[in-house]
Amino acid sequence: MTQCSTADMASTPITNNPDIRFLGRVLGDVIRAYGGEALFRRIEYIRSASVDRHRGVAGADTIDPGLDRLSLDETLDFVRSFMLFSMLANLAEDRQGVASEPGADVEHAIARLKKDGIGPEKIAELLDHALVAPVLTAHPTEVRRKSMLDHRNAIARLMRLRDEGVRETPDGDLVEEAIVRQVALLWQTRVLRFERLYVADEVENALSYLRDVFLPTLPGLYARWDRALGSRVPPFLRPGNWIGGDRDGNPFVTADSLRLTLSRSAEAVLAYYLDAVHALGAELSISSHHATIDAEVAALADASGDDAASRSDEPYRRALSGIYARLAATYTDLTGRTAPRPGALHGERYADPAAFRADLAAIARGLASHGGETLASSGALGRLIRSVDIFGFHLATLDMRQNSAVHERVVGELLRVAGVEPDYAALDEAARIALLRRELASPRPLTSRHASYSEETASELAIVQAAAEAHARYGRAAINQYIVSMAQSVSDLLEVHILLKEAGLYIPGDPPQAHIMAVPLFETIGDLDAGPDVMRAWFALPEIAAIATARGYQEVMIGYSDSNKDGGYLTSTWGLSKGSTALKPVFADAGIAMQLFHGRGGAVGRGGGSSYSAIQAQPPGTVQGRIRITEQGEVIAAKYGTRESAQTNLEAMASATLLASLEPQRLSTADAARFEAAMEQLSGTAFGAYRELVYGTTGFTTFFRQMTPIAEIAGLKIGSRPASRKKSDAIEDLRAIPWVFSWSQARVMLPGWYGVGQALAAFPDRGLLREMAAGWPLFASALANMEMVLAKSDMGIAERYAALVEDQDLSMRIFGTIRSGWQTTHDQLLEVTRQTRLLEKHPALETSIRLRLPYIEPLNLLQVELLKRHRAGETDPQIEQGILLSINAIATALRNSG
């Protein structure tokens, strides 16, 4: 590479992003300075040869890429260099808004709705009962260490200063030198974890986003939305969290994990409030000599205990001193730690966030009473009040989750030990329901402190007890939902109420009360089909109908990952849409609002893709202002790694929810019927093709496990959860995340497209398919997501992985089927969407992917060679390290890979 071209890792015509060019140049300079000129030139030679091949330069295919001449030390350095370039390119794209979509903001949504005669009043009416919640999960697809992400975020902050024309940081460092220093630290930071992540590590990772991005970003967004609507917007968009409460398949999540999560969350949000109150005290220097002081403010000042002579004429500062003292006492009580900047004043802790807000509101009313409306409603005080509305004392609502099979065992044991029922598992569904309803109507607890229970049962009881403690300490907003994985019956939900009752979270009576909602998760194709019948039977129970009516809504979670692994991409997409549609009349008949929780992953094969398009593609009438969506793994960093990207993505979620809830249906009833009938036929064909390959092909499991780095991925130590639900090699028992992640590494991306091409090819009405692609958001979104997957896949590289399979006859047979399916899908997609190449209609995304491909290909080629050596029995630890680094680098470059 020439003096400026590695630096120019991005100076090809496929991108005009100045941040990529700048950061690429910095990285090249760092490699030269810390790795030496020889390493720099070797990396540049490989890079330029790969770029030339992808640009179609004449003769480039005959150039030796030089990969086989790298020593193991050089291989590790090379992989790190390409990974870091991809990481910096991701940052640059996030900053430049490459991932944003035109019109994906609330202001544009309001304008669109206005054209349809829907004004601010209707929008405000919707928002009064709305909830939009991105829910962070610990699903293990984020391969980077937190240390790497911390340096990335430091670079993002410095780049913001550079944007503003600032030459020096507040500490006096030159901004560009500080950026070079951070990149140099990245180059010298260990990429791989030595130990598997613990739940506490996952808690801290999530907290870094909630504390550093969500807390400062959301109040500013609300201020923007207030201006757009012309009135104060209620806190409808709030973050959620699974980390520390999701026990499904993760034995390391315990009652202590739940307590840790909530305590650390309270510590973060209260520290933020303390800083804000402290800053307000410095800002509100209003003297009673120059302003009329409201009686409420005077009362707060007098009660504060702040009698400093220097502030005797400054009642707002004195009032805020008292508020700070009370908030510090709250901090100490909830976290067990001494508050930052402990003062001489001592106050009584706030009973709840409402009491804290009331004091802040009194300050605001005082300011407004003497002409200070701007001081009262906006600025630092306005943002702080808004923050309390959004985050309370808990920061993010924590969900609980456990598998229905665990509940069945635990409740069975409780009933047996209590002498109520010796063999609960042997009862049929009707008998179970009758028994559970009797127990829920009785005030008598099942548990006894004199009885002994299995470790599993004791653990589950401890969890619900910790949830009850959380309600008492942090308020009911801290935990609202208890999700039941693999829910298939009414008894699966009643069992949760039995456990909640033991902790006082379900209270018998007429009507009864459930302080935490039992939420069914319908995951497989069969479960999605049966979901409406389960919910109809659920609402038919009078006590359940009373609880749901009092709450105002009932949530149902629908799972994308397992339904995809079960039935393939198109069948999963259609099954989820049909399931949502079929639930709508069940809820309408019960007179209860429906709230769907979408369990989406990062990869398209797990429901990933554009949230903006996905929300708008939901069936009519199924959103109605309420939607929750999981955010997982590397997608959290991509969407919420910087404040700019968080603003873009939160705006997109909010605006899409408004449009999906209020915009008139464009599709006629007749067209909807035609499209749905066609989709049913397409789904059936795709399902057959997918099932025949994955579950009906002899040797497929062996092929998958030898072709992909599924075994090696376990060595990444990227999560606390085991990769399989059981000790089994069966595809059925493999979790969806490693299933999708492995196919992504091998550049097959099979879960995101297989079966669709065969379905499109077999469908006789080409004109109807084109109509659907142009006029039906569900089909258009499904094709767009699949198109992105196809653009990131590469059958030439995948063939190299297929060569890793020991039985080459088996490999050639199965891979030949896959490659043929890919070509069919590719050709059919282009025909239906009237394009001559993939992503022709999406130039920004095309540019982004084309930028990455020259950097991913050499990583794949190196990974294949390292896998060969590792599986042949070579024991050099650098080989295993190189494999893990390459997995990390490829995932970083692909972004939504798991």
Side-chain angles (χ1 to χ4, degrees):
M1 115 177 119
T2 62
Q3 188 88 3
C4 60
S5 60
T6 265
D8 252 343
M9 279 185 165
S11 66
T12 66
I14 60 177
T15 179
N16 294 314
N17 188 319
D19 286 355
I20 294 180
R21 291 198 298 274
F22 169 70
L23 292 170
R25 183 174 67 252
V26 170
L27 177 60
D29 291 343
V30 164
I31 292 172
R32 182 189 292 108
Y34 290 88
E37 188 70 26
L39 176 66
F40 174 84
R41 290 187 177 280
R42 185 153 291 184
I43 292 172
E44 167 59 9
Y45 175 80
I46 296 169
R47 184 205 68 83
S48 60
S50 185
V51 168
D52 285 347
R53 278 196 305 281
H54 281 268
R55 290 172 58 194
V57 173
D61 287 342
T62 64
I63 298 174
D64 177 5
L67 292 171
D68 57 348
R69 293 193 296 278
L70 293 175
S71 67
L72 282 174
D73 283 335
E74 289 172 331
T75 294
L76 299 183
D77 286 337
F78 165 77
V79 173
R80 283 196 303 123
S81 71
F82 271 35
M83 185 209 69
L84 291 179
F85 171 73
S86 297
M87 188 176 181
L88 295 173
N90 293 347
L91 171 61
E93 287 189 349
D94 292 342
R95 283 173 35 78
Q96 296 296 328
V98 168
S100 65
E101 294 160 275
D105 59 75
V106 168
E107 187 173 357
H108 277 86
I110 292 171
R112 273 177 61 174
L113 292 170
K114 185 177 181 181
K115 291 179 181 178
D116 289 312
I118 300 167
E121 300 81 9
K122 279 286 185 186
I123 297 172
E125 184 181 330
L126 176 81
L127 294 180
D128 279 341
H129 65 267
L131 174 68
V132 178
V135 181
L136 308 189
T137 82
H139 284 51
T141 59
E142 173 56 81
V143 292
R144 294 165 294 181
R145 291 177 63 216
K146 186 175 180 298
S147 297
M148 303 287 290
L149 295 174
D150 288 343
H151 289 306
R152 173 197 184 276
N153 293 339
I155 294 168
R157 289 191 293 270
L158 291 165
M159 291 293 285
R160 281 199 295 272
L161 293 178
R162 185 172 178 266
D163 292 343
E164 296 163 3
V166 176
R167 292 189 68 252
E168 293 184 358
T169 69
D171 295 326
D173 298 326
L174 291 175
V175 168
E176 294 206 355
E177 286 185 5
I179 292 171
V180 172
R181 186 157 49 250
Q182 288 297 324
V183 175
L185 288 169
L186 264 179
W187 175 250
Q188 296 175 94
T189 296
R190 173 170 48 83
V191 175
L192 300 174
R193 300 182 178 95
F194 285 158
E195 295 181 337
R196 180 171 292 279
L197 277 178
Y198 295 100
V199 176
D201 300 317
E202 294 170 335
V203 168
E204 293 304 317
N205 287 348
L207 205 57
S208 68
Y209 293 102
L210 292 167
R211 179 189 60 233
D212 301 337
V213 178
F214 281 85
L215 261 173
T217 299
L218 268 175
L221 270 181
Y222 274 98
R224 182 188 301 173
W225 298 339
D226 288 348
R227 292 191 294 271
L229 269 174
S231 61
R232 185 175 178 83
V233 175
F236 72 98
L237 196 156
R238 305 188 293 274
N241 184 18
W242 268 19
I243 304 166
D246 177 14
R247 310 187 305 291
D248 181 18
N250 192 341
F252 306 110
V253 176
T254 64
D256 286 341
S257 305
L258 187 143
R259 293 188 183 98
L260 172 69
T261 300
L262 290 169
S263 174
R264 292 288 290 126
S265 297
E267 184 178 342
V269 74
L270 289 170
Y272 177 83
Y273 295 160
L274 285 165
D275 286 344
V277 171
H278 180 73
L280 274 174
E283 179 181 310
L284 296 183
S285 55
I286 296 168
S287 170
S288 57
H289 298 314
H290 302 297
T292 303
I293 304 304
D294 180 83
E296 282 188 293
V297 175
L300 283 173
D302 291 343
S304 70
D306 184 354
D307 55 4
S310 60
R311 289 188 291 276
S312 60
D313 68 327
E314 296 174 335
Y316 284 94
R317 281 182 165 169
R318 291 170 55 221
L320 286 164
S321 293
I323 291 172
Y324 189 95
R326 292 194 66 186
L327 196 59
T330 309
Y331 179 99
T332 299
D333 186 68
L334 293 183
T335 70
R337 299 167 182 258
T338 302
R341 293 185 300 272
L345 301 181
H346 297 284
E348 180 184 351
R349 68 151 286 186
Y350 284 110
D352 52 39
F356 174 43
R357 189 193 190 282
D359 282 355
L360 296 176
I363 298 288
R365 285 192 295 271
L367 292 170
S369 68
H370 56 84
E373 184 62 43
T374 301
L375 291 175
S377 61
S378 59
L381 178 58
R383 287 192 297 274
L384 178 55
I385 292 173
R386 178 74 77 180
S387 296
V388 179
D389 289 340
I390 301 166
F391 302 108
F393 288 165
H394 61 282
L395 183 57
T397 298
L398 181 66
D399 287 1
M400 301 168 70
R401 183 169 79 130
Q402 182 56 284
N403 196 286
S404 61
V406 174
H407 297 145
E408 180 183 321
R409 291 194 297 269
V410 169
V411 169
E413 181 176 345
L414 293 178
L415 293 168
R416 185 178 66 255
V417 172
V420 175
E421 170 55 53
D423 193 358
Y424 173 71
L427 299 179
D428 63 21
E429 177 65 6
R432 289 188 184 195
I433 291 173
L435 172 57
L436 296 173
R437 291 181 70 193
R438 286 197 301 274
E439 287 301 320
L440 288 169
S442 168
R444 169 184 54 78
L446 282 173
T447 53
S448 167
R449 58 185 172 183
H450 303 298
S452 59
Y453 299 101
S454 67
E455 183 179 348
E456 180 179 62
T457 294
S459 177
E460 295 302 308
L461 291 172
I463 281 277
V464 291
Q465 187 57 51
E469 294 167 11
H471 274 204
R473 290 177 67 79
Y474 308 105
R476 290 187 186 176
I479 302 174
N480 284 335
Q481 279 94 348
Y482 191 131
I483 294 154
V484 184
S485 299
M486 302 305 290
Q488 298 172 336
S489 64
V490 167
S491 64
D492 287 340
L493 301 176
L494 290 175
E495 286 162 3
V496 170
H497 282 177
I498 291 288
L499 295 175
L500 294 176
K501 177 172 170 272
E502 294 304 307
L505 293 170
Y506 181 97
I507 303 171
D510 186 15
Q513 300 175 49
H515 295 167
I516 294 177
M517 174 171 44
V519 176
L521 168 51
F522 300 129
E523 300 178 78
T524 67
I525 300 297
D527 291 346
L528 288 166
D529 289 343
D533 289 336
V534 173
M535 296 312 297
R536 187 175 292 107
W538 179 242
F539 291 141
L541 304 180
E543 63 273 27
I544 298 303
I547 290 169
T549 300
R551 185 189 302 115
Y553 69 96
Q554 168 69 48
E555 180 171 280
V556 171
M557 185 172 185
I558 51 178
Y560 289 66
S561 302
D562 284 285
S563 60
N564 179 286
K565 185 162 68 73
D566 183 35
Y569 173 59
L570 196 65
T571 300
S572 171
T573 300
W574 181 228
L576 288 158
S577 180
K578 283 198 305 178
S580 302
T581 301
L583 285 167
K584 186 174 70 166
V586 174
F587 279 74
D589 291 345
I592 295 164
M594 179 171 70
Q595 176 173 297
L596 290 180
F597 184 11
H598 297 260
R600 305 172 81 229
V604 168
R606 296 185 53 246
S610 162
S611 294
Y612 181 67
S613 298
I615 294 172
Q616 290 188 83
Q618 293 306 303
T622 62
V623 178
Q624 295 304 304
R626 303 192 71 90
I627 189 168
R628 298 206 303 152
I629 299 175
T630 57
E631 304 283 22
Q632 305 180 4
E634 82 285 356
V635 172
I636 297 176
K639 287 186 173 183
Y640 309 112
T642 66
R643 294 183 191 178
E644 294 91 345
S645 59
Q647 284 182 346
T648 296
N649 286 285
L650 293 170
E651 278 269 21
M653 287 185 72
S655 59
T657 302
L658 291 181
L659 294 171
S661 302
L662 295 173
E663 200 166 35
Q665 173 66 9
R666 309 294 186 195
L667 203 61
S668 70
T669 304
D671 282 343
R674 288 193 305 130
F675 292 174
E676 288 167 6
M679 192 67 155
E680 187 69 25
Q681 184 176 335
L682 290 167
S683 173
T685 307
F687 179 80
Y690 176 85
R691 293 287 302 189
E692 182 181 354
L693 174 70
V694 175
Y695 297 103
T697 301
T698 302
F700 183 85
T701 300
T702 300
F703 170 82
F704 162 68
R705 290 191 172 275
Q706 293 183 5
M707 177 190 176
T708 71
I710 176 67
E712 289 76 13
I713 284 171
L716 267 178
K717 302 177 175 65
I718 59 176
S720 61
R721 182 187 307 272
S724 290
R725 290 185 172 90
K726 304 174 184 176
K727 291 184 178 179
S728 161
D729 286 340
I731 302 295
E732 293 89 339
D733 295 327
L734 183 67
R735 291 192 179 278
I737 292 169
W739 164 254
V740 173
F741 198 92
S742 302
W743 287 117
S744 298
Q745 286 286 312
R747 301 293 296 284
V748 180
M749 316 279 194
L750 184 137
W753 59 266
Y754 193 82
V756 183
Q758 294 93 318
L760 294 175
F763 195 80
D765 191 339
R766 316 307 292 170
L768 179 54
L769 291 177
R770 293 193 182 105
E771 276 189 73
M772 292 164 63
W776 192 19
L778 173 69
F779 195 59
S781 176
L783 293 184
N785 288 334
M786 186 179 74
E787 186 175 0
M788 177 185 67
V789 168
L790 292 174
K792 290 183 177 182
S793 62
D794 188 314
M795 289 300 108
I797 290 175
E799 189 171 13
R800 303 285 191 111
Y801 284 86
L804 295 171
V805 179
E806 293 173 10
D807 184 342
Q808 274 300 290
D809 289 338
L810 173 72
S811 178
M812 290 173 64
R813 176 167 51 85
I814 295 179
F815 183 70
T817 301
I818 292 172
R819 181 166 50 194
S820 174
W822 184 94
Q823 192 63 53
T824 300
T825 305
H826 170 273
D827 296 347
Q828 290 294 316
L829 175 72
L830 294 185
E831 181 188 337
V832 169
T833 58
R834 299 178 183 272
Q835 297 181 102
T836 59
R837 67 177 188 278
L838 293 175
L839 301 176
E840 182 179 353
K841 296 179 180 178
H842 306 280
L845 182 57
E846 180 185 29
T847 297
S848 172
I849 291 176
R850 286 178 60 202
L851 168 67
R852 284 167 165 67
L853 294 181
Y855 300 89
I856 305 174
E857 179 182 298
L859 295 170
N860 282 120
L861 298 177
L862 276 174
Q863 186 182 90
V864 169
E865 292 307 309
L866 291 169
L867 286 169
K868 283 181 185 175
R869 295 174 64 177
H870 178 65
R871 293 176 181 181
E874 291 193 39
T875 57
D876 190 320
Q878 285 189 306
I879 292 175
E880 183 178 7
Q881 188 180 359
I883 292 170
L884 300 182
L885 272 174
S886 68
I887 292 171
N888 191 305
I890 292 166
T892 300
L894 288 172
R895 304 205 79 172
N896 53 349
S897 61

